[in-house]
């Protein structure tokens, strides 16, 4: 072997000769392996870059001429062969077709699964769906989109004449009902705080509107007559008001007959649970309230808040931001009837979310109104009037039983 740039003519012994020769071969081989590995890595990186761009362009099921021009430029830059790039493009388009077939399978399976299981799905059912998604290797964003599409169909009640009733799924859970002793401007009727367990249910996204009321009021009578246009502040998308507790019960009965579902008023516990939506502050948006967030008498403030607008009337539903459950107008605009009769505090209140009934004729109101101070709009505030009372600051929203199986 050459040493010091001079040819080697002899070794001290045969072992030294073999060792030098072996070392030389190994060094040359390692250098060759590294060079090949580097070339392989460069090629793999080039193919990966081209594949990523091709899959992006193929994500709508086709690769346009302009996109193909871009891919051709990229191919030249990366030094890829035509056979390599054409195979990548074909695989990208084939993968799109296969993926779309998997999406279609998932959508159909989801519809059948909800029809069989009822909605909302319990924990076991959600686990099964997650395993189904993983089996088909579906992207989270596609699954979320499909579920939203199906839920939109599931949770929209078509009342006719272009009027719909939108329903929001409320997950089950536990919460602390009532207000803490240190909450500003609270009342003793909001005590004692107690843990309540709520089963899943569905709630109207908005208070019942005047257009919804008019259609249902025209349906066949169940127990009592209904005024088709009772509200003082007129507007198809404003909440219906000047309706008694018995009027609201009749509305639910007629709607149940029309749809085959069980519509009712929320229990007081369900209403507060839905309003709070996992929050513990006086309002679902925080420690204070402004008239940019709700409709109430803005001449008055709460907890260092600022004064605002006093509109002196109801506003269209959905004007203000929703809570984390997607419910609108839970604070202000109109008081909302609950099923429960009035009790002066929570001593011996049920812990399972059921309505708390007694012999008196006073019924629960929740949420505050356009007319009242901000303190009355708090999540934990309670009020009442007689069940026959009809005021232009009292309306309601509906609840649906948990198992919705009809699309």
């Amino acid at each position: 072997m050459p040493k010091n740039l001079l040819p080697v003519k002899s070794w001290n012994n045969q072992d030294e000769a073999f060792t030098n020769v072996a070392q030389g071969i190994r060094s040359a081989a390692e250098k060759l392996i590294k060079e090949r590995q580097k070339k392989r890595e460069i090629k793999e990186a080039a193919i990966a870059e081209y594949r990523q761009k091709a899959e992006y362009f193929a994500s709508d099921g086709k690769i346009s001429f302009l996109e193909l021009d871009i891919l051709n430029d990229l191919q030249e830059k990366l030094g890829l062969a035509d056979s390599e790039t054409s195979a990548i493009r074909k695989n990208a388009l084939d993968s799109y077709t296969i993926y779309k077939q998997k999406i279609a399978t998932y959508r159909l399976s989801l519809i059948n699964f909800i029809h069989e299981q009822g909605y909302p799905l319990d924990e076991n059912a959600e686990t099964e769906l997650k395993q189904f998604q993983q089996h088909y290797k579906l992207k989270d964003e596609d699954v979320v989109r499909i579920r939203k599409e199906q839920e939109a169909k599931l949770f929209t009640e078509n009342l006719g004449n272009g009027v719909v009733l939108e329903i929001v799924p409320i997950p089950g859970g536990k919460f602390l009902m009532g207000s803490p002793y240190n909450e500003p401007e609270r009342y003793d009727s909001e005590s004692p705080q107690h843990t309540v367990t709520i089963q899943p249910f569905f709630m109207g996204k908005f208070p019942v509107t005047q257009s919804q009321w008019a259609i249902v009021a025209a349906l066949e009578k169940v127990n009592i007559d209904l005024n088709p246009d009772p509200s003082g502040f007129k507007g198809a998308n404003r909440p219906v008001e000047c309706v008694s507790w018995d009027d609201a019960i009749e509305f639910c009965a007629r709607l149940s007959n029309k749809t085959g579902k069980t519509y009712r008023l929320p229990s007081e516990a369900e209403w507060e649970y839905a309003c709070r939506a996992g929050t513990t502050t006086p309002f679902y948006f925080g420690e204070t309230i402004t008239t940019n967030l709700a409709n109430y008498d803005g001449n008055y403030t709460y907890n260092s808040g600022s004064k605002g607008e006093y509109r002196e009337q109801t506003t269209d539903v959905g004007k203000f931001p929703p809570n984390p459950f997607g419910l609108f107008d839970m604070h202000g605009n109109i008081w909302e009837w609950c099923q429960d009769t009035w009790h002066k505090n929570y001593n011996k209140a049920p812990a399972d979310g059921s309505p708390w009934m007694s012999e008196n004729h006073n019924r629960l109101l929740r949420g505050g109104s356009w007319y009242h101070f901000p303190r009355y709009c708090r999540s934990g505030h309670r009020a009442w009037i007689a069940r026959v009372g009809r005021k232009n600051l009292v309306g309601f929203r509906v609840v649906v039983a948990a198992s919705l199986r009809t699309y």
Side-chain angles (χ1 to χ4, degrees), residues 5-64:
L5 303 179
L6 297 175
V8 178
K9 299 179 179 178
S10 64
W11 288 269
N12 294 328
N13 54 60
Q14 192 177 43
D15 288 343
E16 183 182 352
F18 281 124
T19 298
N20 283 346
V21 171
Q23 288 175 341
I25 295 173
R26 178 174 181 174
S27 177
E30 287 179 346
K31 182 179 180 181
L32 182 60
I33 290 172
K34 287 181 180 178
E35 289 175 353
R36 289 182 175 178
Q37 179 66 25
K38 186 175 181 180
K39 288 180 180 179
R40 188 182 302 114
E41 290 174 353
I42 292 173
K43 173 59 75 71
E44 289 175 351
I47 289 175
E49 183 178 348
Y50 188 91
R51 179 184 293 111
Q52 182 180 30
K53 182 66 74 173
E55 288 177 347
Y56 174 76
F57 287 152
S59 61
D60 59 354
K62 63 182 184 301
I63 296 177
S64 69

Side-chain angles (χ1 to χ4, degrees), residues 53 56 90 132 146 178 265 395:
K53 182 66 74 173
Y56 174 76
K90 183 179 184 302
F132 192 67
I146 292 168
L265 293 178

Side-chain angles (χ1 to χ4, degrees), residues 149-221:
E149 289 172 358
Q150 300 310 316
E151 288 169 357
K153 296 176 183 178
L154 179 62
F155 304 131
T156 301
E157 195 76 79
N158 187 357
L159 302 181
N161 296 332
V163 178
V164 298
L165 175 65
E166 295 180 78
I167 305 297
V168 174
I170 307 298
K174 293 183 179 181
F175 82 113
L176 200 58
M177 186 173 181
S179 61
Y181 288 107
N182 62 350
E183 184 167 298
E185 301 187 49
R186 70 183 299 276
Y187 289 86
D188 290 341
S189 61
E190 300 161 23
S191 299
Q193 280 191 297
H194 56 292
T195 300
V196 179
T197 300
I198 301 293
Q199 298 302 316
F201 65 100
F202 300 86
M203 196 174 210
K205 188 175 185 178
F206 310 103
V208 171
T209 65
Q210 294 175 34
S211 61
Q212 293 164 347
W213 175 271
I215 289 177
V216 175
L219 298 175
E220 184 178 356
K221 172 181 173 181

